[in-house]
Amino acid sequence: MAQVSVSEKRASRMKSSMNRVKTLVQFALDKGAYRAKSFSARKVVVDERVRLKCEIPMCPHFNTTLTCPPNVPTVDEFRTVLRRYRTAVLVQTRAPLSLAMDEFDKQEVIKYLETHVAATAAKGGETSEAYRSMEDVKLQAIRLHKLVNEVETQALSLGFHYALGLIGGDCMLCPKCVGPGAGCRRPYQARPSMEGVGIDVVKTANHAGLAFEIPPKQEVVWSGLVLVD
């Protein structure tokens, strides 16, 4: 009986891993991802300047949200861990933008983002088209978070025991985070953002072949990342 060489075993393991990654990408698409694609984890771009933007100008979530800096791994810590992964899966959701977005003024946007609820138009108390667009943008961010959790769980079931998911933007699982010093209400679902650990989302998406428009004009694309092996 012929013995299987070490190189043949390695090739077999690599083929098995590639097939499982393909299955994972298809799983994300079947779950409703706008786009999903696997790529080399070496193409994930980490830049200290991304993390610095959490502090300058000061993001309202900085040190008030458990999944935002400084309550997440540092850029150096994440970069060290990232080297242990070979493959990443980028998943995206999207929300079309209404032409009425041009009607927003700065204070209206700030008010919306602070309350995280759909506001009403000044006339008649009906929700404006622009605000409906903003509400859909928020819902797609939450949808991305759910999708990242599902893809990470599926990766674990496929044998990627160190699968790690990262979302886009701040965590919106709760109306208001309990903040530092208290226990997270949803510790198994909450995830840090790509930006929070220093990932340049735009460059990483470009490297993955899933580029999106910045600043957005026609649609907002939310990107999440799952490191799988």
Side-chain angles (χ1 to χ4, degrees):
M1 184 175 179
Q3 291 185 337
V4 179
S5 67
V6 173
S7 60
E8 288 175 325
K9 290 181 179 179
R10 184 180 298 112
S12 178
R13 287 196 299 269
M14 289 182 63
K15 183 177 181 180
S16 173
S17 178
M18 290 174 60
N19 287 337
R20 285 180 290 150
V21 170
K22 289 180 180 179
T23 298
L24 192 62
V25 171
Q26 188 58 52
F27 173 84
L29 294 171
D30 291 342
K31 283 292 184 178
Y34 159 51
R35 297 187 299 192
K37 190 174 181 180
S38 63
F39 63 108
S40 171
R42 293 185 179 182
K43 293 184 178 181
V44 175
V45 180
V46 179
D47 189 327
E48 290 83 357
R49 292 174 297 179
V50 176
R51 177 67 168 260
L52 187 62
K53 293 297 289 181
C54 294
E55 300 180 63
I56 307 173
M58 181 72 73
C59 173
H61 301 288
F62 183 81
N63 204 28
T64 63
T65 302
L66 294 176
T67 54
C68 286
N71 305 306
V72 296
T74 66
V75 175
D76 285 340
E77 288 171 340
F78 179 73
R79 184 183 282 116
T80 298
V81 171
L82 180 62
R83 296 192 188 106
R84 303 297 299 272
Y85 290 91
R86 291 180 297 175
T87 307
V89 175
L90 193 74
V91 295
Q92 295 177 329
T93 61
R94 65 173 174 173
L97 287 176
S98 164
L99 294 177
M101 289 296 291
D102 292 337
E103 298 171 5
F104 273 108
D105 69 20
K106 185 176 180 181
Q107 292 306 315
E108 285 179 318
V109 174
I110 291 174
K111 181 179 179 180
Y112 178 90
L113 294 177
E114 285 177 345
T115 59
H116 271 192
V117 297
T120 55
K123 295 182 180 180
E126 296 180 358
T127 304
S128 70
E129 185 179 3
Y131 274 112
R132 286 196 298 272
S133 286
M134 286 299 291
E135 184 69 6
D136 194 34
V137 167
K138 175 197 169 185
L139 290 175
Q140 290 303 321
I142 296 172
R143 184 179 174 213
L144 174 75
H145 193 146
K146 181 176 183 291
L147 187 61
V148 166
N149 285 156
E150 292 174 334
V151 173
E152 181 189 287
T153 299
Q154 182 68 7
L156 291 168
S157 71
L158 290 171
F160 296 116
H161 300 144
Y162 293 105
L164 176 69
L166 298 167
I167 64 169
D170 60 296
C171 178
M172 298 184 191
L173 294 181
C174 301
K176 181 176 178 59
C177 184
V178 295
C184 177
R185 299 185 188 97
R186 304 181 69 177
Y188 295 107
Q189 289 81 40
R191 294 291 182 275
S193 68
M194 296 171 68
E195 302 92 335
V197 294
I199 295 177
D200 187 320
V201 180
V202 175
K203 289 184 178 179
T204 297
N206 287 340
H207 288 179
L210 298 180
F212 55 90
E213 193 174 49
I214 291 292
K217 296 179 181 178
Q218 302 298 322
E219 62 184 9
V220 172
V221 174
W222 291 97
S223 298
L225 191 72
V226 179
L227 300 170
V228 295
D229 70 349

